[in-house]
Amino acid sequence: MAYRVLIVEDQEMPRQLFEIYIRESGNYELANTLTNAAVAVDLCRAGGIDLVLMDVCTAFGSNGLDAAEDIKREFPEIKVIIVTSMPEFSWLERAKQIGVDSFWYKEAQKDTILSVCDRTMAGGHIYPDETPQVSIGAVTNHDFTERELQILRELITGDSNAEIGDRLGVSAGTVKRHVENMLKKTGFHTRTELVAEAGRLGIVIRFS
């Protein structure tokens, strides 16, 4: 009997590719396709879903990791694979914490998505060792510390160093020092330039 798969992907090309892979696999059956992760848990409640392939950034700003957490809490027997092309540093760890079964980068892994599906349905947990490496200025995302990445993501809000520091439990001076270090590493001249490039590359993504 074929496993029934729900695809949650708002980009047309990867969504169509996933649909083709599932339909032609022989081991899987396409149950439904969504563009908005917020609706995924409702479809799971309706029954008949064995596996969810879900992007993180979906339509209307819906967060696939939030939806995955809801699904795994309510239906732990449903397998969930997060699929993304974004190298956002925090997603791998959060996916593990909420019980996501596997995690697949669309353009940076040797394993095919069907191989990951097969291994996941067999009880495996397939995770990459690290986020994809992308260049930003004179360095790569792997050259930032975790604290720098946390601050870089908060810079997206446009808030002051003091406001960011309050959220992260550090001083405004500490935030300023980390920003200066990131500017020095990358060669960018302003925090606006740094944030714009980090956001464009998907190194840091902040949901509202």
Side-chain angles (χ1 to χ4, degrees), residues 182-199:
M182 287 187 283
L183 291 174
K184 184 176 180 180
K185 285 180 179 180
T186 58
F188 294 140
H189 299 293
T190 67
R191 60 199 284 165
T192 300
E193 186 179 9
L194 172 66
V195 170
E197 187 65 2

Side-chain angles (χ1 to χ4, degrees), residues 86-138:
M86 300 296 183
E88 217 286 344
F89 78 101
S90 67
W91 290 352
L92 274 174
E93 187 58 34
R94 183 168 179 222
K96 292 176 183 178
Q97 290 174 350
I98 63 179
V100 164
D101 297 279
S102 296
F103 197 108
W104 187 75
Y105 286 110
K106 296 175 186 175
E107 300 166 0
Q109 287 183 232
K110 294 179 182 178
D111 289 333
T112 66
I113 186 59
L114 284 179
S115 171
V116 174
C117 289
D118 289 343
R119 293 162 67 190
T120 300
M121 296 311 296
H125 298 282
I126 317 305
Y127 273 80
D129 294 329
E130 58 186 11
T131 60
Q133 182 171 289
V134 296
S135 297
I136 177 168

Side-chain angles (χ1 to χ4, degrees), residues 38-179:
V39 186
V41 69
D42 290 329
L43 273 182
C44 290
R45 288 182 183 126
I49 303 296
D50 301 302
L51 171 64
V52 180
L53 299 181
M54 183 145 54
D55 201 348
V56 181
C57 298
T58 70
F60 307 110
S62 182
N63 184 337
L65 284 168
D66 289 345
E69 184 172 18
D70 291 339
I71 291 169
K72 293 304 292 185
R73 184 190 303 115
E74 195 166 339
F75 307 101
E77 73 282 3
I78 295 178
K79 305 293 187 181
V80 177
I81 301 174
I82 289 292
V83 295
T84 183
S85 59
M86 300 296 183
E88 217 286 344
F89 78 101
S90 67
W91 290 352
L92 274 174
E93 187 58 34
R94 183 168 179 222
K96 292 176 183 178
Q97 290 174 350
I98 63 179
V100 164
D101 297 279
S102 296
F103 197 108
W104 187 75
Y105 286 110
K106 296 175 186 175
E107 300 166 0
Q109 287 183 232
K110 294 179 182 178
D111 289 333
T112 66
I113 186 59
L114 284 179
S115 171
V116 174
C117 289
D118 289 343
R119 293 162 67 190
T120 300
M121 296 311 296
H125 298 282
I126 317 305
Y127 273 80
D129 294 329
E130 58 186 11
T131 60
Q133 182 171 289
V134 296
S135 297
I136 177 168
V139 294
T140 75
N141 55 323
H142 290 179
D143 294 308
F144 293 127
T145 66
E146 183 172 348
R147 177 61 82 186
E148 285 172 344
L149 289 166
Q150 289 171 346
I151 289 172
L152 183 55
R153 185 172 55 195
E154 294 301 321
L155 291 176
I156 294 171
T157 63
D159 290 342
S160 67
N161 290 343
E163 291 169 322
I164 292 171
D166 285 343
R167 284 199 296 274
L168 296 179
V170 299
S171 69
T174 296
V175 174
K176 180 180 179 182
R177 185 170 69 253
H178 281 302
V179 172

Side-chain angles (χ1 to χ4, degrees), residues 2-74:
Y3 295 115
R4 289 176 55 79
V5 181
L6 169 63
I7 296 172
V8 187
E9 170 64 71
D10 68 334
Q11 294 185 321
E12 184 174 359
M13 185 173 294
R15 184 173 68 247
Q16 290 178 347
L17 284 174
F18 289 152
E19 289 173 353
I20 291 170
Y21 294 153
I22 294 303
R23 287 191 175 113
E24 295 182 352
S25 68
N27 296 325
Y28 301 94
E29 175 185 342
L30 184 63
N32 213 320
T33 304
L34 299 173
T35 60
N36 182 358
V39 186
V41 69
D42 290 329
L43 273 182
C44 290
R45 288 182 183 126
I49 303 296
D50 301 302
L51 171 64
V52 180
L53 299 181
M54 183 145 54
D55 201 348
V56 181
C57 298
T58 70
F60 307 110
S62 182
N63 184 337
L65 284 168
D66 289 345
E69 184 172 18
D70 291 339
I71 291 169
K72 293 304 292 185
R73 184 190 303 115
E74 195 166 339

